[in-house]
Each structure stands twice: as C-alpha cells, then as structure tokens.
Amino acid sequence: MLWQLFFVFLKIGCISFGGGYAIIALIQREVVGAGWMEGQQFQELVALAGMAPGSIATNTATLIGYSQMGIPGAAMATIGIILPSLLIVILFASIFLRLQGNSWVRASFYGLRPIITGLIMYAAIHFAAGGTNRSLLNWSTLGMVIICAGCLLAVLKFKIHPFAVILLSAVAGIVLF
Amino acid sequence: MNVQHRAYMHTLAQLFVVFLKLGPSTFGGGYAMITAIERETVDKKHWLQPGEVGDMVSVAGSAPGGVAVNSAAFVGYRLAGVPGAVTAVIGIILPTFVIVFALSIFGAIFKDVPKVEAALKGVHAAVVALIIVAAYKVGKTSIFDASTLVIAGLSVLVLLFTTLNTIYLILGGPVLGMAVIAAKRALGMAALTEKEAQDNRLEINVPEYYI
C-alpha cells in the first residue's frame, strides 16, 4: 500500500505541468478510481490543502497519504509527487547552466521568458477572479482591491517582507470583512 | 575536514535555512513565492544576479510540479549541485508538511468561524498582489522590445480565452524565440537576446520610486 501510494503520486508528479489546480482533477480520478475515498471526502481534503501554504497539489498528496497510511503514507505520497519535478529541474538546470553561452539557448529563453511572464500575469488574473463574487461592485471586492493595492505599495515601495505582508493582510481581512 | 569541504557544508546549511524560512510563506503556491525567493536569494544573499530570476522562473515553470519547489531546486543546484537541490527542496517542503498536519487537526474546528474566513480573504488579496509583483519583476528582465511584448501579451490572451494546455505554450516559447532571433538576424536587425547588463546594474542602485 505504501509503495502503491508512492507510485500513484510518482505518476501524477511526472505530468503535473503548470502545478496546482490543473492537476486536482487528475488526482481525483486516480484516488477515487483506486477506491481510496469518496468524491465528497476528496473535495474536503482539497479545501483543507488550499488553506495551507505550499502547492495545493503537494498538500493534497500529503493529506491523501496521511488518510490512507498515517505519517509514513504522507511522507511517501509527498516524496512521490516531488521526485519527478526535482529530477527534471536538476536535468534542465544542468543543461541550461552548461549551455548558457550558446546563442540558440539564449534565443530560446528570449522567447520562453515573455511566455512565463504571461503565465504569471494569467495566474494573477485567475487568482483575483477566484476571490471575488459574481457581482463586481460590493464591499467585499472593494476591500480586496484596497488590500491588494496596499500590498503592492508595501512590497514595491517600502520593501516590506512578503511574509509580513501576508500576515498584515490577514489582520486587514479581519478588520474589513 | 578541509576548508573547501567546510565551506560547502556551510552553503548547504544556508540553503536549508533560507528555504525553510520561505516554506511557510508559500501561500497560494507558485508564482506568489517568486517575490519572496527573489528577495532572499538576490537582494540578501546575492546568490543570483537580478537577471537570473527570469531564467530561474523559466526553468522552474517548464518542468512539471510547483514553481516554488522547482525554483528551490534550481537555486540549490546552481549553488551546490545535486545535494544542494535536494537540501533546498527538503527545506521548502518541511514547513508545509507540518502545517498541513496542524490544519488537518484544527481545520475542521475553525473552518466555519467567520473571522477565519475574513483573514483568509485578506491573505487571498495579498497573494494576488505578490503574484503581480512577481510578474513585474520577471517582466522587467524578459520584456524589453516589441517582439517580447507581443509574445507576452499573446500568451495572456491565449490563456484567458482558449483551453490550450500550458505545456504547448511552454514548448512554443523556445521555438518562437529562435524564429524571431533568426528572422531578425536574417533581416540584418540588431537582435539582443537579453536586456543589456548595464541596465541591471543601474536597477540595483536606483530605488523603484517610479512605480
């Protein structure tokens, strides 16, 4: 069972491009298909995983491993989902650092970097849209915009540490909402 | 134990501590983290040059898995090889691993308390801001001429209005890059593949008051 957990998440780890929410559906298919838990229980675990820091996919793996086999299961599932990306990043990084001077590698990164920038912008839009209700003009949305603008100012102009910004926003959230 | 070995162990220990500290602040995962990683590795430790953050995110984003964990692996590998990558990844994973357990115990109790929900809403807004900062920082080194601006704009539009898998965008980036550079060279235009190094040096000294 421990190895089964490891291999299922190893497989998911190999194809988890883009990370995060994209692969939740994939994990659900594997986990519910294997009869480890019901869809309802899975949804509750995902909600819990989203509340913790870190990648939601990795957190979900940890919680599923824990629910099946306790702490050893959690460790195995987490290692399984992390291992493929660790190996692939090491491979990419070694190739990149060795060929850094090559003009074709430079040209590829010239094209890749703006696309990654686009991905990050999309992530911001996607994440912002996830936090607002359907109606745009209400107190909740306005509060979110105020907090967001305040955070931008704090990080970019006053160089406040991102972690402090997150804590302050939690306090602001309690005050505003 | 010779001096070189001791220096190496010191680097590993530093990697572990830095990413252990970064771990708990990876709310929202991925791109929001870039801002914090950049601050620690570029501004404080000077492990990376400002321009290298774009490379880090590009490598981290093109591999499967979370961007934050992949970035940790990249920085660790760059500084101390494979052991460095493993150390950094363990460092960034460990706090979340513990927090996930704490949450699974307390989460059920606090889930329906309205003030916890309000705090999480505040955090959500902060995460959006951190992702915007990451886009700005990475964009500063990656968007510096018309073609890169068009590529970035198009990729946002494709992501917003189509269901195209991200992997094709990531695979398309290098192809587009090589095509644009080859075309520019063929037309006899100047084809810079990176923002000039001089700009980077200037940016360190000049505070970003113009934002």
Side-chain angles (χ1 to χ4, degrees):
Chain A
M1 180 70 191
L2 222 48
W3 288 107
Q4 211 180 337
L5 272 171
F6 178 74
F7 283 118
V8 162
F9 284 105
L10 192 72
K11 192 168 90 186
I12 294 168
C14 288
I15 45 180
S16 62
F17 283 95
Y21 295 92
I23 54 169
I24 294 299
L26 204 75
I27 299 180
Q28 176 162 23
R29 207 165 55 199
E30 290 287 336
V31 168
V32 177
W36 289 348
M37 57 181 63
E38 301 286 311
Q40 173 69 30
Q41 198 190 348
F42 180 80
Q43 291 300 333
E44 282 171 18
L45 281 191
V46 172
L48 206 58
M51 283 165 69
S55 149
I56 189 162
T58 313
N59 293 351
T60 306
T62 309
L63 285 173
I64 290 169
Y66 183 69
S67 75
Q68 298 303 306
M69 292 289 288
I71 298 216
M76 281 307 242
T78 310
I79 295 170
I81 203 167
I82 291 291
L83 204 57
S85 22
L86 178 64
L87 296 179
I88 292 171
V89 171
I90 289 175
L91 181 74
F92 282 8
S94 69
I95 293 171
F96 170 73
L97 293 172
R98 203 159 301 156
L99 299 178
Q100 215 171 2
N102 181 294
S103 71
W104 287 113
V105 171
R106 284 165 160 250
S108 333
F109 271 78
Y110 169 84
L112 183 56
R113 274 190 302 246
I115 290 209
I116 298 287
T117 311
L119 272 176
I120 305 178
M121 288 186 213
Y122 172 72
I125 296 168
H126 193 79
F127 215 83
T132 52
N133 306 328
R134 285 283 154 256
S135 56
L136 275 174
L137 276 173
N138 57 25
W139 171 235
S140 159
T141 309
L142 185 68
M144 299 276 279
V145 171
I146 292 171
I147 294 179
C148 185
C151 292
L152 281 177
L153 205 65
V155 173
L156 287 174
K157 189 163 179 193
F158 300 109
K159 312 268 175 205
I160 294 175
H161 196 280
F163 192 44
V165 168
I166 284 184
L167 286 182
L168 287 176
S169 310
V171 175
I174 293 173
V175 174
L176 284 176
F177 302 125
Chain B
M1 208 158 88
N2 59 41
V3 178
Q4 219 177 353
H5 185 69
R6 199 176 302 165
Y8 185 71
M9 294 314 280
H10 184 69
T11 308
L12 284 185
Q14 289 242 306
L15 271 171
F16 183 73
V17 171
V18 163
F19 283 102
L20 191 73
K21 276 197 303 192
L22 282 168
S25 56
T26 55
F27 275 98
Y31 295 112
M33 260 303 270
I34 307 293
T35 309
I37 294 181
E38 201 229 9
R39 193 186 168 92
E40 289 293 329
T41 58
V42 178
D43 299 347
K44 284 200 184 150
K45 297 282 181 194
H46 305 291
W47 285 342
L48 300 180
Q49 298 291 317
E52 277 183 284
V53 176
D55 297 335
M56 172 188 85
V57 183
S58 301
V59 171
S62 19
V67 184
V69 174
N70 291 355
S71 300
F74 180 87
V75 175
Y77 182 79
R78 161 91 165 61
L79 279 183
V82 174
V86 174
T87 308
V89 166
I90 294 175
I92 204 167
I93 286 294
L94 211 53
T96 15
F97 197 75
V98 173
I99 292 171
V100 166
F101 285 124
L103 266 179
S104 67
I105 296 162
F106 294 111
I109 307 168
F110 290 118
K111 208 165 49 184
D112 300 321
V113 178
K115 279 300 162 191
V116 172
E117 224 171 279
L120 283 174
K121 250 175 146 178
V123 171
H124 194 113
V127 167
V128 173
L130 290 180
I131 301 178
I132 293 173
V133 173
Y136 167 74
K137 297 255 175 169
V138 173
K140 213 164 58 167
T141 53
S142 60
I143 299 173
F144 53 90
D145 59 14
S147 343
T148 44
L149 185 64
V150 170
I151 295 175
L154 277 181
S155 61
V156 174
L157 290 180
V158 165
L159 286 164
L160 279 177
F161 298 110
T162 70
T163 51
L164 187 77
N165 198 314
T166 329
I167 183 70
Y168 296 116
L169 267 181
I170 288 170
L171 288 175
V175 178
L176 257 171
M178 287 190 264
V180 169
I181 294 295
K184 276 188 170 179
R185 288 202 178 124
L187 291 170
M189 290 157 72
L192 282 175
T193 48
E194 260 129 77
K195 210 175 175 186
E196 281 171 283
Q198 217 179 3
D199 288 359
N200 281 339
R201 227 177 300 133
L202 263 175
E203 275 158 21
I204 301 169
N205 300 328
V206 182
E208 293 150 357
Y209 287 134
Y210 49 84
I211 298 154

mmCIF file of all heavy atoms in Angstrom, chain A residues 126-170:
data_model
loop_
_atom_site.group_PDB
_atom_site.id
_atom_site.type_symbol
_atom_site.label_atom_id
_atom_site.label_comp_id
_atom_site.label_asym_id
_atom_site.label_seq_id
_atom_site.Cartn_x
_atom_site.Cartn_y
_atom_site.Cartn_z
ATOM 1 N N HIS A 126 -6.349 35.033 -12.731
ATOM 2 C CA HIS A 126 -7.122 33.862 -12.343
ATOM 3 C C HIS A 126 -7.374 33.846 -10.840
ATOM 4 O O HIS A 126 -8.473 33.592 -10.372
ATOM 5 C CB HIS A 126 -6.325 32.629 -12.756
ATOM 6 C CG HIS A 126 -7.104 31.367 -12.710
ATOM 7 N ND1 HIS A 126 -7.980 31.010 -13.706
ATOM 8 C CD2 HIS A 126 -7.153 30.374 -11.798
ATOM 9 C CE1 HIS A 126 -8.533 29.856 -13.400
ATOM 10 N NE2 HIS A 126 -8.047 29.440 -12.254
ATOM 11 N N PHE A 127 -6.328 34.137 -10.088
ATOM 12 C CA PHE A 127 -6.416 34.110 -8.635
ATOM 13 C C PHE A 127 -7.311 35.239 -8.134
ATOM 14 O O PHE A 127 -8.081 35.057 -7.199
ATOM 15 C CB PHE A 127 -5.014 34.250 -8.037
ATOM 16 C CG PHE A 127 -4.827 33.461 -6.781
ATOM 17 C CD1 PHE A 127 -4.517 32.113 -6.842
ATOM 18 C CD2 PHE A 127 -4.959 34.057 -5.541
ATOM 19 C CE1 PHE A 127 -4.354 31.379 -5.692
ATOM 20 C CE2 PHE A 127 -4.796 33.312 -4.375
ATOM 21 C CZ PHE A 127 -4.498 31.979 -4.458
ATOM 22 N N ALA A 128 -7.203 36.415 -8.770
ATOM 23 C CA ALA A 128 -8.040 37.546 -8.382
ATOM 24 C C ALA A 128 -9.509 37.219 -8.648
ATOM 25 O O ALA A 128 -10.372 37.483 -7.823
ATOM 26 C CB ALA A 128 -7.635 38.799 -9.145
ATOM 27 N N ALA A 129 -9.788 36.627 -9.808
ATOM 28 C CA ALA A 129 -11.168 36.299 -10.167
ATOM 29 C C ALA A 129 -11.741 35.263 -9.210
ATOM 30 O O ALA A 129 -12.928 35.293 -8.893
ATOM 31 C CB ALA A 129 -11.222 35.784 -11.601
ATOM 32 N N GLY A 130 -10.900 34.372 -8.714
ATOM 33 C CA GLY A 130 -11.351 33.333 -7.796
ATOM 34 C C GLY A 130 -11.803 33.891 -6.452
ATOM 35 O O GLY A 130 -12.538 33.241 -5.731
ATOM 36 N N GLY A 131 -11.350 35.103 -6.125
ATOM 37 C CA GLY A 131 -11.646 35.647 -4.804
ATOM 38 C C GLY A 131 -12.889 36.515 -4.773
ATOM 39 O O GLY A 131 -13.436 36.791 -3.718
ATOM 40 N N THR A 132 -13.353 36.953 -5.953
ATOM 41 C CA THR A 132 -14.491 37.872 -5.973
ATOM 42 C C THR A 132 -15.784 37.117 -6.219
ATOM 43 O O THR A 132 -15.801 36.047 -6.806
ATOM 44 C CB THR A 132 -14.320 38.922 -7.085
ATOM 45 O OG1 THR A 132 -14.048 38.218 -8.299
ATOM 46 C CG2 THR A 132 -13.210 39.875 -6.769
ATOM 47 N N ASN A 133 -16.864 37.711 -5.774
ATOM 48 C CA ASN A 133 -18.170 37.130 -6.050
ATOM 49 C C ASN A 133 -18.597 37.543 -7.444
ATOM 50 O O ASN A 133 -17.925 38.307 -8.115
ATOM 51 C CB ASN A 133 -19.189 37.602 -5.020
ATOM 52 C CG ASN A 133 -18.707 37.313 -3.619
ATOM 53 O OD1 ASN A 133 -18.007 36.321 -3.406
ATOM 54 N ND2 ASN A 133 -19.031 38.190 -2.680
ATOM 55 N N ARG A 134 -19.739 37.060 -7.864
ATOM 56 C CA ARG A 134 -20.196 37.359 -9.220
ATOM 57 C C ARG A 134 -20.389 38.861 -9.445
ATOM 58 O O ARG A 134 -19.992 39.404 -10.449
ATOM 59 C CB ARG A 134 -21.492 36.596 -9.518
ATOM 60 C CG ARG A 134 -21.252 35.128 -9.764
ATOM 61 C CD ARG A 134 -20.690 34.875 -11.172
ATOM 62 N NE ARG A 134 -19.923 33.641 -11.204
ATOM 63 C CZ ARG A 134 -18.601 33.588 -11.223
ATOM 64 N NH1 ARG A 134 -17.884 34.692 -11.238
ATOM 65 N NH2 ARG A 134 -17.971 32.447 -11.237
ATOM 66 N N SER A 135 -21.035 39.530 -8.483
ATOM 67 C CA SER A 135 -21.235 40.967 -8.642
ATOM 68 C C SER A 135 -19.925 41.673 -8.296
ATOM 69 O O SER A 135 -19.300 41.384 -7.285
ATOM 70 C CB SER A 135 -22.353 41.448 -7.727
ATOM 71 O OG SER A 135 -22.043 41.076 -6.395
ATOM 72 N N LEU A 136 -19.515 42.583 -9.184
ATOM 73 C CA LEU A 136 -18.208 43.202 -9.011
ATOM 74 C C LEU A 136 -18.212 44.343 -7.998
ATOM 75 O O LEU A 136 -17.243 44.567 -7.303
ATOM 76 C CB LEU A 136 -17.691 43.719 -10.355
ATOM 77 C CG LEU A 136 -16.976 42.655 -11.200
ATOM 78 C CD1 LEU A 136 -16.623 43.209 -12.565
ATOM 79 C CD2 LEU A 136 -15.724 42.154 -10.491
ATOM 80 N N LEU A 137 -19.347 45.077 -7.956
ATOM 81 C CA LEU A 137 -19.365 46.251 -7.100
ATOM 82 C C LEU A 137 -19.982 45.937 -5.746
ATOM 83 O O LEU A 137 -21.181 46.115 -5.535
ATOM 84 C CB LEU A 137 -20.140 47.386 -7.778
ATOM 85 C CG LEU A 137 -19.313 48.225 -8.763
ATOM 86 C CD1 LEU A 137 -20.204 49.197 -9.501
ATOM 87 C CD2 LEU A 137 -18.191 48.957 -8.043
ATOM 88 N N ASN A 138 -19.192 45.436 -4.846
ATOM 89 C CA ASN A 138 -19.695 45.299 -3.478
ATOM 90 C C ASN A 138 -18.553 45.527 -2.496
ATOM 91 O O ASN A 138 -17.397 45.698 -2.900
ATOM 92 C CB ASN A 138 -20.368 43.945 -3.262
ATOM 93 C CG ASN A 138 -19.435 42.803 -3.566
ATOM 94 O OD1 ASN A 138 -18.214 42.954 -3.498
ATOM 95 N ND2 ASN A 138 -19.990 41.658 -3.904
ATOM 96 N N TRP A 139 -18.866 45.520 -1.264
ATOM 97 C CA TRP A 139 -17.906 45.858 -0.225
ATOM 98 C C TRP A 139 -16.724 44.879 -0.223
ATOM 99 O O TRP A 139 -15.577 45.247 -0.089
ATOM 100 C CB TRP A 139 -18.611 45.874 1.127
ATOM 101 C CG TRP A 139 -17.672 46.013 2.283
ATOM 102 C CD1 TRP A 139 -17.571 45.188 3.337
ATOM 103 C CD2 TRP A 139 -16.703 47.045 2.475
ATOM 104 N NE1 TRP A 139 -16.586 45.636 4.182
ATOM 105 C CE2 TRP A 139 -16.034 46.775 3.664
ATOM 106 C CE3 TRP A 139 -16.323 48.176 1.725
ATOM 107 C CZ2 TRP A 139 -15.012 47.573 4.162
ATOM 108 C CZ3 TRP A 139 -15.298 48.973 2.215
ATOM 109 C CH2 TRP A 139 -14.656 48.671 3.425
ATOM 110 N N SER A 140 -17.057 43.600 -0.438
ATOM 111 C CA SER A 140 -16.028 42.568 -0.389
ATOM 112 C C SER A 140 -14.973 42.774 -1.474
ATOM 113 O O SER A 140 -13.774 42.730 -1.219
ATOM 114 C CB SER A 140 -16.701 41.204 -0.518
ATOM 115 O OG SER A 140 -15.803 40.242 -0.934
ATOM 116 N N THR A 141 -15.433 43.029 -2.717
ATOM 117 C CA THR A 141 -14.494 43.242 -3.823
ATOM 118 C C THR A 141 -13.661 44.487 -3.585
ATOM 119 O O THR A 141 -12.445 44.488 -3.789
ATOM 120 C CB THR A 141 -15.259 43.380 -5.157
ATOM 121 O OG1 THR A 141 -16.148 42.271 -5.269
ATOM 122 C CG2 THR A 141 -14.309 43.392 -6.329
ATOM 123 N N LEU A 142 -14.325 45.559 -3.129
ATOM 124 C CA LEU A 142 -13.620 46.812 -2.869
ATOM 125 C C LEU A 142 -12.529 46.588 -1.811
ATOM 126 O O LEU A 142 -11.397 47.045 -1.961
ATOM 127 C CB LEU A 142 -14.619 47.872 -2.407
ATOM 128 C CG LEU A 142 -14.022 49.272 -2.203
ATOM 129 C CD1 LEU A 142 -13.617 49.857 -3.543
ATOM 130 C CD2 LEU A 142 -15.019 50.192 -1.510
ATOM 131 N N GLY A 143 -12.885 45.848 -0.762
ATOM 132 C CA GLY A 143 -11.917 45.551 0.293
ATOM 133 C C GLY A 143 -10.718 44.798 -0.247
ATOM 134 O O GLY A 143 -9.575 45.107 0.094
ATOM 135 N N MET A 144 -10.984 43.813 -1.113
ATOM 136 C CA MET A 144 -9.895 43.037 -1.709
ATOM 137 C C MET A 144 -8.972 43.935 -2.530
ATOM 138 O O MET A 144 -7.753 43.809 -2.473
ATOM 139 C CB MET A 144 -10.462 41.941 -2.628
ATOM 140 C CG MET A 144 -11.339 40.928 -1.942
ATOM 141 S SD MET A 144 -10.447 39.593 -1.165
ATOM 142 C CE MET A 144 -10.130 38.519 -2.538
ATOM 143 N N VAL A 145 -9.591 44.854 -3.312
ATOM 144 C CA VAL A 145 -8.785 45.756 -4.149
ATOM 145 C C VAL A 145 -7.927 46.656 -3.270
ATOM 146 O O VAL A 145 -6.738 46.867 -3.546
ATOM 147 C CB VAL A 145 -9.700 46.600 -5.069
ATOM 148 C CG1 VAL A 145 -8.896 47.690 -5.777
ATOM 149 C CG2 VAL A 145 -10.376 45.710 -6.091
ATOM 150 N N ILE A 146 -8.508 47.148 -2.166
ATOM 151 C CA ILE A 146 -7.751 48.019 -1.256
ATOM 152 C C ILE A 146 -6.568 47.259 -0.667
ATOM 153 O O ILE A 146 -5.431 47.731 -0.666
ATOM 154 C CB ILE A 146 -8.663 48.551 -0.118
ATOM 155 C CG1 ILE A 146 -9.694 49.525 -0.695
ATOM 156 C CG2 ILE A 146 -7.832 49.228 0.967
ATOM 157 C CD1 ILE A 146 -10.758 49.941 0.297
ATOM 158 N N ILE A 147 -6.829 46.044 -0.180
ATOM 159 C CA ILE A 147 -5.747 45.249 0.414
ATOM 160 C C ILE A 147 -4.672 44.963 -0.628
ATOM 161 O O ILE A 147 -3.470 45.104 -0.373
ATOM 162 C CB ILE A 147 -6.292 43.931 0.995
ATOM 163 C CG1 ILE A 147 -7.214 44.214 2.180
ATOM 164 C CG2 ILE A 147 -5.144 43.025 1.454
ATOM 165 C CD1 ILE A 147 -7.821 42.988 2.797
ATOM 166 N N CYS A 148 -5.110 44.586 -1.840
ATOM 167 C CA CYS A 148 -4.171 44.255 -2.902
ATOM 168 C C CYS A 148 -3.279 45.451 -3.240
ATOM 169 O O CYS A 148 -2.059 45.338 -3.334
ATOM 170 C CB CYS A 148 -4.956 43.788 -4.128
ATOM 171 S SG CYS A 148 -3.928 43.222 -5.458
ATOM 172 N N ALA A 149 -3.901 46.634 -3.386
ATOM 173 C CA ALA A 149 -3.138 47.848 -3.706
ATOM 174 C C ALA A 149 -2.166 48.182 -2.576
ATOM 175 O O ALA A 149 -1.004 48.534 -2.818
ATOM 176 C CB ALA A 149 -4.094 49.006 -3.962
ATOM 177 N N GLY A 150 -2.647 48.044 -1.337
ATOM 178 C CA GLY A 150 -1.786 48.297 -0.187
ATOM 179 C C GLY A 150 -0.576 47.380 -0.181
ATOM 180 O O GLY A 150 0.543 47.800 0.113
ATOM 181 N N CYS A 151 -0.795 46.109 -0.532
ATOM 182 C CA CYS A 151 0.295 45.131 -0.557
ATOM 183 C C CYS A 151 1.315 45.478 -1.630
ATOM 184 O O CYS A 151 2.524 45.365 -1.414
ATOM 185 C CB CYS A 151 -0.233 43.736 -0.833
ATOM 186 S SG CYS A 151 -1.211 43.089 0.500
ATOM 187 N N LEU A 152 0.825 45.896 -2.801
ATOM 188 C CA LEU A 152 1.731 46.276 -3.887
ATOM 189 C C LEU A 152 2.651 47.398 -3.425
ATOM 190 O O LEU A 152 3.863 47.353 -3.619
ATOM 191 C CB LEU A 152 0.935 46.732 -5.115
ATOM 192 C CG LEU A 152 0.347 45.636 -5.992
ATOM 193 C CD1 LEU A 152 -0.456 46.259 -7.117
ATOM 194 C CD2 LEU A 152 1.463 44.773 -6.569
ATOM 195 N N LEU A 153 2.036 48.398 -2.807
ATOM 196 C CA LEU A 153 2.797 49.544 -2.317
ATOM 197 C C LEU A 153 3.818 49.091 -1.269
ATOM 198 O O LEU A 153 4.981 49.489 -1.294
ATOM 199 C CB LEU A 153 1.806 50.542 -1.706
ATOM 200 C CG LEU A 153 2.255 51.999 -1.680
ATOM 201 C CD1 LEU A 153 2.381 52.508 -3.104
ATOM 202 C CD2 LEU A 153 1.242 52.844 -0.906
ATOM 203 N N ALA A 154 3.369 48.226 -0.353
ATOM 204 C CA ALA A 154 4.228 47.780 0.747
ATOM 205 C C ALA A 154 5.446 47.030 0.217
ATOM 206 O O ALA A 154 6.574 47.247 0.662
ATOM 207 C CB ALA A 154 3.431 46.886 1.696
ATOM 208 N N VAL A 155 5.220 46.147 -0.774
ATOM 209 C CA VAL A 155 6.337 45.325 -1.266
ATOM 210 C C VAL A 155 7.252 46.136 -2.170
ATOM 211 O O VAL A 155 8.478 46.109 -2.026
ATOM 212 C CB VAL A 155 5.814 44.084 -2.020
ATOM 213 C CG1 VAL A 155 6.965 43.330 -2.661
ATOM 214 C CG2 VAL A 155 5.066 43.167 -1.066
ATOM 215 N N LEU A 156 6.675 46.885 -3.108
ATOM 216 C CA LEU A 156 7.498 47.545 -4.113
ATOM 217 C C LEU A 156 8.154 48.812 -3.588
ATOM 218 O O LEU A 156 9.306 49.084 -3.880
ATOM 219 C CB LEU A 156 6.676 47.858 -5.362
ATOM 220 C CG LEU A 156 6.336 46.633 -6.221
ATOM 221 C CD1 LEU A 156 5.396 47.024 -7.334
ATOM 222 C CD2 LEU A 156 7.593 45.986 -6.783
ATOM 223 N N LYS A 157 7.404 49.595 -2.818
ATOM 224 C CA LYS A 157 7.964 50.880 -2.406
ATOM 225 C C LYS A 157 8.650 50.806 -1.044
ATOM 226 O O LYS A 157 9.738 51.299 -0.862
ATOM 227 C CB LYS A 157 6.872 51.941 -2.397
ATOM 228 C CG LYS A 157 7.452 53.330 -2.199
ATOM 229 C CD LYS A 157 6.504 54.429 -2.569
ATOM 230 C CE LYS A 157 7.183 55.765 -2.293
ATOM 231 N NZ LYS A 157 6.229 56.861 -2.341
ATOM 232 N N PHE A 158 7.988 50.151 -0.080
ATOM 233 C CA PHE A 158 8.559 50.150 1.261
ATOM 234 C C PHE A 158 9.375 48.909 1.560
ATOM 235 O O PHE A 158 9.912 48.753 2.648
ATOM 236 C CB PHE A 158 7.446 50.332 2.299
ATOM 237 C CG PHE A 158 6.701 51.623 2.128
ATOM 238 C CD1 PHE A 158 5.405 51.635 1.659
ATOM 239 C CD2 PHE A 158 7.327 52.830 2.399
ATOM 240 C CE1 PHE A 158 4.723 52.832 1.481
ATOM 241 C CE2 PHE A 158 6.655 54.028 2.232
ATOM 242 C CZ PHE A 158 5.344 54.030 1.764
ATOM 243 N N LYS A 159 9.454 48.002 0.570
ATOM 244 C CA LYS A 159 10.314 46.814 0.684
ATOM 245 C C LYS A 159 10.000 45.983 1.931
ATOM 246 O O LYS A 159 10.908 45.485 2.601
ATOM 247 C CB LYS A 159 11.804 47.212 0.708
ATOM 248 C CG LYS A 159 12.195 48.174 -0.373
ATOM 249 C CD LYS A 159 12.685 47.432 -1.597
ATOM 250 C CE LYS A 159 12.964 48.398 -2.731
ATOM 251 N NZ LYS A 159 12.879 47.787 -4.032
ATOM 252 N N ILE A 160 8.727 45.887 2.269
ATOM 253 C CA ILE A 160 8.347 45.055 3.411
ATOM 254 C C ILE A 160 8.386 43.591 2.999
ATOM 255 O O ILE A 160 8.065 43.250 1.857
ATOM 256 C CB ILE A 160 6.939 45.459 3.902
ATOM 257 C CG1 ILE A 160 7.016 46.886 4.449
ATOM 258 C CG2 ILE A 160 6.416 44.504 4.972
ATOM 259 C CD1 ILE A 160 5.706 47.463 4.851
ATOM 260 N N HIS A 161 8.814 42.734 3.892
ATOM 261 C CA HIS A 161 8.961 41.314 3.569
ATOM 262 C C HIS A 161 7.607 40.699 3.198
ATOM 263 O O HIS A 161 6.605 40.948 3.881
ATOM 264 C CB HIS A 161 9.562 40.575 4.769
ATOM 265 C CG HIS A 161 10.080 39.223 4.392
ATOM 266 N ND1 HIS A 161 9.252 38.140 4.255
ATOM 267 C CD2 HIS A 161 11.325 38.798 4.083
ATOM 268 C CE1 HIS A 161 9.967 37.095 3.887
ATOM 269 N NE2 HIS A 161 11.236 37.475 3.779
ATOM 270 N N PRO A 162 7.570 39.888 2.113
ATOM 271 C CA PRO A 162 6.306 39.303 1.663
ATOM 272 C C PRO A 162 5.538 38.549 2.758
ATOM 273 O O PRO A 162 4.315 38.591 2.799
ATOM 274 C CB PRO A 162 6.745 38.342 0.561
ATOM 275 C CG PRO A 162 8.012 38.905 0.040
ATOM 276 C CD PRO A 162 8.677 39.588 1.195
ATOM 277 N N PHE A 163 6.273 37.899 3.656
ATOM 278 C CA PHE A 163 5.595 37.145 4.714
ATOM 279 C C PHE A 163 4.869 38.093 5.669
ATOM 280 O O PHE A 163 3.730 37.838 6.087
ATOM 281 C CB PHE A 163 6.601 36.269 5.467
ATOM 282 C CG PHE A 163 5.957 35.270 6.374
ATOM 283 C CD1 PHE A 163 4.857 34.535 5.948
ATOM 284 C CD2 PHE A 163 6.435 35.057 7.657
ATOM 285 C CE1 PHE A 163 4.256 33.605 6.778
ATOM 286 C CE2 PHE A 163 5.844 34.127 8.493
ATOM 287 C CZ PHE A 163 4.757 33.401 8.053
ATOM 288 N N ALA A 164 5.527 39.227 5.992
ATOM 289 C CA ALA A 164 4.898 40.235 6.847
ATOM 290 C C ALA A 164 3.654 40.795 6.159
ATOM 291 O O ALA A 164 2.625 41.040 6.802
ATOM 292 C CB ALA A 164 5.892 41.356 7.144
ATOM 293 N N VAL A 165 3.755 40.972 4.832
ATOM 294 C CA VAL A 165 2.615 41.486 4.062
ATOM 295 C C VAL A 165 1.423 40.535 4.172
ATOM 296 O O VAL A 165 0.286 40.956 4.357
ATOM 297 C CB VAL A 165 3.029 41.695 2.589
ATOM 298 C CG1 VAL A 165 1.812 41.932 1.712
ATOM 299 C CG2 VAL A 165 3.999 42.861 2.470
ATOM 300 N N ILE A 166 1.703 39.232 4.108
ATOM 301 C CA ILE A 166 0.623 38.239 4.208
ATOM 302 C C ILE A 166 -0.037 38.295 5.585
ATOM 303 O O ILE A 166 -1.268 38.294 5.705
ATOM 304 C CB ILE A 166 1.170 36.823 3.903
ATOM 305 C CG1 ILE A 166 1.369 36.692 2.383
ATOM 306 C CG2 ILE A 166 0.218 35.746 4.410
ATOM 307 C CD1 ILE A 166 1.810 35.350 1.918
ATOM 308 N N LEU A 167 0.790 38.394 6.629
ATOM 309 C CA LEU A 167 0.235 38.463 7.987
ATOM 310 C C LEU A 167 -0.613 39.718 8.175
ATOM 311 O O LEU A 167 -1.724 39.658 8.717
ATOM 312 C CB LEU A 167 1.368 38.442 9.021
ATOM 313 C CG LEU A 167 2.063 37.090 9.234
ATOM 314 C CD1 LEU A 167 3.121 37.206 10.306
ATOM 315 C CD2 LEU A 167 1.035 36.032 9.617
ATOM 316 N N LEU A 168 -0.084 40.876 7.702
ATOM 317 C CA LEU A 168 -0.822 42.128 7.831
ATOM 318 C C LEU A 168 -2.155 42.057 7.085
ATOM 319 O O LEU A 168 -3.167 42.584 7.540
ATOM 320 C CB LEU A 168 0.017 43.291 7.293
ATOM 321 C CG LEU A 168 1.198 43.726 8.166
ATOM 322 C CD1 LEU A 168 2.007 44.808 7.475
ATOM 323 C CD2 LEU A 168 0.695 44.233 9.518
ATOM 324 N N SER A 169 -2.135 41.387 5.903
ATOM 325 C CA SER A 169 -3.371 41.281 5.125
ATOM 326 C C SER A 169 -4.404 40.431 5.836
ATOM 327 O O SER A 169 -5.606 40.683 5.719
ATOM 328 C CB SER A 169 -3.100 40.672 3.761
ATOM 329 O OG SER A 169 -2.051 41.323 3.164
ATOM 330 N N ALA A 170 -3.936 39.413 6.558
ATOM 331 C CA ALA A 170 -4.867 38.598 7.327
ATOM 332 C C ALA A 170 -5.565 39.468 8.367
ATOM 333 O O ALA A 170 -6.782 39.401 8.544
ATOM 334 C CB ALA A 170 -4.130 37.441 7.994
#
